[in-house]
């Protein structure tokens, strides 16, 4: 059973990102402050629940949260500042996008940089322990998937609608055949045998 809070702070925010290991598309983060009486039996780490359940949960989270925010950091910036910094920046930007400023931040994973002077705690597998991080993981995943479905229409041969930019065999075959697009992360190893890709 996921816990509601890590601290006694009224405005405790959970944050998480999606798409860190992808070859294409943005890294997307979300931040959520839940109401003190929030309950949901289905909500869990977004990787543990089906796409259908995530899509059903998103409006529930958005309607029942005290506030939420999300943010995409696109491939050019990922290439420029690296994926770890881009993930943290996406989390900062998603916190900034909320209508309220949190008093405490709980972060999925073990890497974060201070945001303003707000105290925070990193929690490994936090998206399977705390409801606000799980809620943030669902929002980050659904907003990112929505974006990948949209750019799929532009480049259907990579099948982003299905693989969402992750390094599946089919995705890599398409890169081998058609080369990288403007949405591919040039700093990533797009092909397993790649030493240097002529761009």
């Amino acid at each position: 059973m996921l816990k509601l809070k890590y601290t006694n702070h009224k405005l405790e925010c959970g944050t998480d990102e999606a798409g860190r290991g992808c070859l294409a598309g943005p890294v997307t983060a979300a931040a959520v402050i839940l109401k003190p009486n929030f309950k949901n039996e289905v909500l869990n780490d977004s990787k543990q629940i089906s796409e259908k359940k995530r899509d059903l949960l998103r409006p529930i989270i958005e309607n029942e949260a005290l506030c939420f925010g999300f943010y995409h950091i696109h491939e050019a910036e990922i290439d420029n500042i690296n994926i770890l910094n881009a993930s943290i920046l996406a989390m900062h930007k998603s916190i900034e996008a909320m209508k309220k400023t949190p008093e405490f931040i709980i972060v999925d994973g073990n890497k974060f940089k201070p945001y303003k002077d707000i105290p925070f705690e990193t929690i490994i597998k936090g998206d399977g322990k705390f409801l606000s991080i799980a809620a943030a993981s669902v929002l980050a995943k659904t907003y990112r998937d929505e974006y990948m479905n949209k750019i799929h229409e532009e480049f259907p041969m990579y099948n982003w609608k299905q693989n969402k930019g992750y390094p599946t065999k089919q995705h890599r075959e398409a890169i081998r055949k058609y080369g990288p697009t403007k949405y591919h992360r040039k700093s990533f190893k797009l092909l397993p045998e790649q030493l240097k890709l002529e761009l």
Side-chain angles (χ1 to χ4, degrees):
M1 189 71 181
L2 275 66
K3 296 187 187 115
L4 183 63
K5 299 287 278 286
Y6 179 79
T7 67
N8 293 323
H9 291 282
K10 185 168 171 257
L11 298 179
E12 181 182 277
C13 144
T15 184
D16 196 7
E17 50 69 33
R20 207 168 139 173
C22 294
L23 303 179
V27 62
T28 304
V32 182
I33 299 176
L34 294 172
K35 289 177 180 167
N37 58 351
F38 180 85
K39 282 187 178 71
N40 191 291
E41 297 298 318
V42 182
L43 183 57
N44 200 340
D45 162 14
S46 66
K47 294 182 287 298
Q48 303 297 327
I49 47 182
S50 67
E51 186 174 356
K52 193 177 171 187
K53 281 185 181 164
R54 288 195 299 266
D55 290 342
L56 290 170
L57 280 167
R58 184 165 113 185
I60 294 169
I61 294 163
E62 293 182 349
N63 290 326
E64 295 185 21
L66 207 54
C67 59
F68 70 91
F70 74 94
Y71 200 87
H72 300 298
I73 298 285
H74 292 281
E75 41 293 320
E77 195 156 5
I78 293 170
D79 290 339
N80 195 28
I81 64 174
N82 85 40
I83 188 61
L84 176 63
N85 287 324
S87 301
I88 294 169
L89 181 61
M91 290 194 238
H92 283 192
K93 292 285 191 183
S94 67
I95 296 166
E96 208 174 278
M98 293 194 300
K99 290 190 178 78
K100 292 178 184 287
T101 303
E103 299 166 329
F104 196 90
I105 302 163
I106 52 174
V107 184
D108 182 55
N110 62 354
K111 297 271 194 302
F112 195 65
K113 289 176 186 169
Y115 175 75
K116 297 186 173 171
D117 53 359
I118 300 166
F120 68 88
E121 188 65 55
T122 56
I123 301 163
I124 291 167
K125 294 196 175 15
D127 47 6
K129 293 173 185 169
F130 292 94
L131 285 167
S132 61
I133 302 180
S137 83
V138 167
L139 293 191
K141 179 85 177 110
T142 52
Y143 277 107
R144 188 181 184 280
D145 285 359
E146 198 171 78
Y147 180 88
M148 294 309 291
N149 291 346
K150 196 172 78 184
I151 64 171
H152 167 88
E153 303 303 323
E154 207 179 329
F155 294 101
M157 59 282 248
Y158 299 90
N159 200 13
W160 292 330
K161 206 175 176 69
Q162 195 181 346
N163 64 50
K164 305 297 190 259
Y166 281 94
T168 61
K169 191 174 175 213
Q170 182 195 33
H171 187 185
R172 285 197 145 135
E173 287 302 327
I175 296 169
R176 193 175 278 116
K177 189 172 176 183
Y178 303 105
T181 66
K182 60 184 177 182
Y183 296 113
H184 281 97
R185 301 173 184 177
K186 310 299 187 281
S187 58
F188 277 48
K189 194 174 176 185
L190 299 176
L191 295 171
E193 70 276 14
Q194 173 185 330
L195 294 168
K196 193 170 188 315
L197 202 63
E198 294 306 316
L199 301 173

